[in-house]
Amino acid sequence: MSILDGSPGTTTPGGDRAHSLLVSETDRDQRVGATAWVDEQLSGGAKVFYKARPEVWGGDPHWLLGPGGSPRASRALTTGQLEIMDFVEVVQAAGGTTQGLRELQFDEITRGLGEGWARVAMSQESPGRPLADEAEIAEFTTQESAYDELARDWPLTTLCQLTLVHENPVATWETAALHSGDIVDHQWSALWHDGRWRVRGELDASVVQRFGAALHGALRRCFQENADPTLHVDASEIEFVDVATAQSLILSAHSAGRRQRIVVHGADEVLRDVVAAVGRPRSLEYADEAGSPR
Amino acid sequence: MTAAAHDARGGLDHIGHVYDPATGLTPGVLPHVRAALAAGTPVSAVVDRGERRALHDALGPGAGITFTPPADLQQSSWAFLDHLRDVGRTPGGGLVVAQYSVFDIPDGELRQGEDDVNEFLGDLPVTLLCACPTTERATRRAMAHGVHPRLIRDGETRDNDGYRRPGTSLEVRTGVHALGLTFRARADLQHVRDQVAAVARAAGLAHRDRRACVLAVHEAALLVVGEGVSAGAEPCVLDMWTGDGRVTAELRGPSAGAPTDPAFPRDASDRPEPLEYVRLFCRDAASTDDGDTRLVKFVAARGRVRDGEPAG
């Protein structure tokens, strides 16, 4: 599995794919994806800081070092290129606060670079946070934003992991929305590229909730960060869209309608058929229509 | 825009009109209304207050149009048909304009009514013009596209290629058995789609028809698999056949709920029925549910795909 390149359109020291989300159905799927990413970062010369959930795997936080883990991990652990902490250790080191976590991350970056590594890569496994109220969601948002902020100033690459079997619907939704800029989720993915939200793959009822969350996140990002809040969607690499996905797209367009437009680039005739069958609102346009930007 | 007074053939003229609520239904139906009034035939409009005002403003006072309260036509399942018969008793026939959104009935009941109109009132010298706003839920919009032999599009009233005649027995087990597979969850549908695409390609369907075939199977598969088949239960099954210019499919899965009356093996029409989503992408579809097994079958289009109605 490869993590594709993409960025929100800004130049960052962290480079492309500075902050990604990997969605997995099960622990097994998660390990496959995480292993590939760790291998990629290690072979690319990055110092890797990996945060694991020990309780999930019977108290062994180092599955990365085992038969199902990364072939490079054992040696990397020995050389110091890889450091693994479990969440209990992280909470202790950070003093249980968001600020403490930020300081821990900063320390890891400076230490990694100080050791001579050209880049730093961080990954944390699915946290299983309840996100039971707005305060907790806000705190989660702040913690996630820290990765983007750090990546603007430092050569940092972050992979967040979302393993669905451990997460509730609220956490799944909020996590997908926060990672609209770079999400890899089974048969579909999305990332920012040249000012457009590029969506690839197959979108259907099995992933529609996460797609809808990511779309919401993309709209929110455009609204908050851009002078023109229009969301430009590159649909040229979408291979399949079902009615449920079209409904999600249209629902988002309806709810954003008064403040934002969605302009879809590269929509093929079948995608247009599906969207038309559900009912396209005025706030959803195709880039090749008169009056719409190309 | 063009329209003619009720067709001289003397039978039912059943027309669908999917309209943008921003402009209202009046612009689309006005030519038909004016033609009927000019011919001296009665016009009954079953519409909301806004459309009532728009029609009144467009036609002027004393135009002779009758506004029939929707509530009067929902007192029984036959009330609307009786109203059509009343209008049709006038020599030369008449026109009824019915706005979907004023009928507070389930989709299944609405579809039953539309099918009953087509099946039982085909000889009635009446024009029935059914108007559905683009903001209606997808199943109703799909229904509007499928149950009307004619549609108003771009100001013209034309034959509807997507019209499905009611009561036609749907035979799908014809030709060569091209595919048989099982599935248990929504996550399996990507694999299902790949297999269906291969069948459609081998059958010689053009690109757009292939995609429509895949969509139809996908939507039908969602119907039968629901949230997933529990462990130990029988999996869902997909079979496909090709030949004689057709691609057909049959999907079976666990029952969706209470059984329908076997004497009337139609859709489980007492609740919103996403079979309409399947119909969006195929030539014809039907489903039954006997309490144990839900069956969805359809005939894929060949060389022809239904056009969606743009919201504008």
Side-chain angles (χ1 to χ4, degrees):
Chain A
M1 154 169 184
S2 65
I3 304 296
L4 303 172
D5 286 341
S7 76
T10 59
T11 302
T12 68
D16 295 338
R17 308 303 298 273
H19 186 184
S20 312
L21 176 69
L22 172 66
V23 182
S24 307
E25 197 76 38
T26 63
D27 290 335
R28 183 168 170 270
D29 294 340
Q30 172 264 328
R31 290 185 184 190
V32 170
T35 297
W37 183 87
V38 168
D39 269 349
E40 184 181 354
Q41 301 306 315
L42 291 174
S43 64
K47 165 100 181 202
V48 178
F49 293 92
Y50 193 91
K51 310 297 191 296
R53 299 183 60 196
E55 70 275 12
V56 176
W57 299 287
D60 176 11
H62 304 300
W63 65 266
L64 265 175
L65 311 176
S70 162
R72 292 188 171 86
S74 293
R75 194 158 65 93
L77 197 70
T78 303
T79 63
Q81 188 182 4
L82 171 65
E83 291 186 18
I84 302 175
M85 293 174 69
D86 63 40
F87 285 170
V88 174
E89 294 170 310
V90 171
V91 171
Q92 286 175 344
T97 66
T98 297
Q99 181 58 32
L101 179 63
R102 176 73 177 259
E103 291 169 0
L104 174 66
Q105 292 161 345
F106 181 78
D107 172 71
E108 289 177 341
I109 292 172
T110 54
R111 186 156 53 78
L113 296 176
E115 292 170 358
W117 303 103
R119 295 191 300 113
V120 173
M122 295 181 179
S123 184
Q124 44 284 331
E125 294 177 340
S126 211
R129 298 173 67 162
L131 298 188
D133 54 35
E134 292 298 324
E136 195 178 348
I137 293 172
E139 184 182 14
F140 175 61
T141 302
T142 302
Q143 291 172 358
E144 287 292 329
S145 299
Y147 293 114
D148 296 320
E149 292 165 14
L150 289 167
R152 289 192 196 106
D153 298 326
W154 304 97
L156 170 67
T157 301
T158 302
L159 177 72
C160 295
Q161 301 178 41
L162 181 69
T163 308
L164 300 176
V165 70
H166 299 303
E167 302 292 343
N168 65 48
V170 172
T172 298
W173 198 95
E174 292 292 341
T175 304
L178 280 172
H179 292 87
S180 64
D182 193 342
I183 177 170
V184 177
D185 179 6
H186 299 89
Q187 73 254 27
W188 77 282
S189 64
L191 60 99
W192 291 102
H193 185 73
D194 284 342
R196 294 180 183 176
W197 194 52
R198 186 170 71 186
V199 183
R200 290 171 164 170
E202 301 188 30
L203 299 162
D204 65 14
S206 68
V207 300
V208 67
Q209 290 184 341
R210 298 188 297 276
F211 168 75
L215 174 58
H216 175 87
L219 281 164
R220 183 171 60 194
R221 186 173 189 151
C222 283
F223 186 75
Q224 291 174 347
E225 297 181 4
N226 298 348
D228 176 5
T230 300
L231 172 63
H232 292 269
V233 179
D234 182 345
S236 60
E237 294 180 79
I238 292 178
E239 297 166 26
F240 179 82
V241 168
D242 69 354
V243 170
T245 306
Q247 287 174 324
S248 179
L249 177 62
I250 284 158
L251 189 64
S252 293
H254 268 301
S255 59
R258 288 186 183 177
R259 307 170 304 169
Q260 292 178 274
R261 294 180 305 142
I262 298 177
V263 177
V264 182
H265 300 256
D268 67 13
E269 56 192 1
V270 178
L271 187 152
R272 296 182 194 225
D273 284 345
V274 179
V275 171
V278 179
R280 180 164 65 100
R282 291 182 180 279
S283 53
L284 179 66
E285 302 173 17
Y286 297 113
D288 55 1
E289 288 174 334
S292 293
R294 288 184 175 270
Chain B
M1 294 186 180
T2 64
H6 177 61
D7 193 284
R9 291 170 296 179
L12 175 73
D13 192 9
H14 192 184
I15 302 169
H17 176 40
V18 180
Y19 67 94
D20 182 350
T23 54
L25 63 86
T26 294
V29 308
L30 208 51
H32 290 272
V33 172
R34 287 198 167 117
L37 291 173
T41 55
V43 175
S44 164
V46 191
V47 298
D48 62 29
R49 273 189 200 171
E51 296 296 347
R52 183 173 177 156
R53 196 175 309 119
L55 281 167
H56 186 269
D57 290 345
L59 296 170
I65 184 171
T66 302
F67 294 101
T68 306
D72 290 356
L73 305 180
Q74 296 181 86
Q75 295 167 359
S76 75
S77 58
W78 294 106
F80 188 80
L81 300 190
D82 288 342
H83 180 62
L84 287 177
R85 291 192 183 95
D86 288 342
V87 172
R89 285 197 186 96
T90 306
L95 168 68
V96 175
V97 177
Q99 185 180 18
Y100 267 17
S101 50
V102 303
F103 291 93
D104 184 24
I105 57 178
D107 286 353
E109 201 173 312
L110 182 62
R111 185 175 185 94
Q112 182 74 59
E114 292 279 34
D115 285 346
D116 287 344
V117 166
N118 288 326
E119 192 164 4
F120 300 119
L121 300 184
D123 295 330
L124 193 69
V126 166
T127 297
L128 170 60
L129 209 162
C130 301
C132 175
T134 54
T135 47
E136 267 283 17
R137 52 182 176 271
T139 48
R140 285 210 170 184
R141 295 184 71 254
M143 193 188 310
H145 284 131
V147 301
H148 298 102
R150 299 214 294 161
L151 289 176
I152 296 176
R153 286 187 194 274
D154 303 323
E156 302 283 334
T157 304
R158 307 171 190 156
D159 288 345
N160 176 17
D161 288 341
Y163 169 58
R164 281 88 187 213
R165 192 176 302 277
T168 304
S169 173
L170 191 61
E171 181 54 55
V172 298
R173 296 188 175 198
T174 60
V176 174
H177 185 242
L179 179 68
L181 56 80
T182 61
F183 56 99
R184 305 187 72 92
R186 291 182 173 186
D188 298 334
L189 295 188
Q190 186 182 15
H191 172 71
V192 171
R193 293 195 296 267
D194 289 343
Q195 300 301 307
V196 172
V199 170
R201 195 176 306 116
L205 264 62
H207 174 72
R208 199 170 180 180
D209 291 340
R210 278 205 307 272
R211 299 280 293 275
C213 181
V214 171
L215 270 161
V217 172
H218 172 81
E219 295 298 335
L222 282 176
L223 280 182
V224 298
V225 80
E227 297 297 324
V229 177
S230 55
E234 290 295 313
C236 302
V237 180
L238 164 66
D239 289 290
M240 295 186 71
W241 295 265
T242 62
D244 296 328
R246 298 194 333 160
V247 175
T248 60
E250 183 180 279
L251 298 94
R252 297 188 300 282
S255 169
T260 56
D261 187 336
F264 298 95
R266 284 183 173 271
D267 304 337
S269 300
D270 56 344
R271 57 186 181 278
E273 184 50 72
L275 186 65
E276 298 297 342
Y277 297 154
V278 180
R279 292 195 172 106
L280 286 172
F281 308 111
C282 68
R283 196 77 189 110
D284 199 359
S287 80
T288 57
D289 191 329
D290 63 6
D292 288 321
T293 302
R294 179 168 192 162
L295 179 73
V296 178
K297 51 187 181 179
F298 70 86
V299 178
R302 181 174 174 88
R304 182 190 294 169
V305 172
R306 296 182 62 217
D307 292 334
E309 182 78 11

